Amino acid sequence: TCALPICPITDLKSAMAINQKIAFTKSLFGGDDKEFKKALNFLNNCTNYSEAKMYLQSDLGKRYNWSDSDPLVTEFTEIVYRKFI
């Protein structure tokens, strides 16, 4: 545990609960588990948040037609952000 308000994470896959993984795969990746895992691998290997954010917005967001007002998009983005704090 960490005392910070938002704790950093080292690996996106292990930072997500199973129900989060299911919700993200179903809602954000059209039910495609392979694409979800591919995205996590890419994001885990990004060197900084701006690189990850660019991938989220210009690749994943466009490909899957994500809405900025979707709470799952926000939750997924916040988890990714924690990887780089």
Side-chain angles (χ1 to χ4, degrees):
T1 61
C2 82
L4 302 170
I6 300 174
C7 298
I9 57 175
T10 53
D11 177 60
L12 292 169
K13 282 177 242 171
S14 58
M16 293 177 191
I18 188 74
N19 60 337
Q20 283 179 310
K21 290 178 187 174
I22 292 167
F24 293 150
T25 302
K26 186 177 172 190
S27 297
L28 302 183
F29 292 87
D32 192 333
D33 190 53
K34 204 159 93 176
E35 286 301 312
F36 174 62
K37 287 178 178 162
K38 206 161 87 174
L40 290 185
N41 278 333
F42 184 90
L43 290 163
N44 265 329
N45 290 309
C46 287
T47 53
N48 56 49
Y49 182 65
S50 60
E51 183 184 352
K53 189 175 180 186
M54 177 71 81
Y55 177 67
L56 288 170
Q57 291 175 338
S58 61
D59 189 336
L60 297 176
K62 282 191 171 67
R63 188 177 347 154
Y64 295 105
N65 201 24
W66 290 356
S67 165
D68 288 341
S69 61
D70 184 333
L72 277 177
V73 171
T74 304
E75 186 179 347
F76 187 74
T77 304
E78 284 172 358
I79 291 169
V80 172
Y81 173 75
R82 286 176 49 206
K83 168 111 175 68
F84 300 98
I85 55 174

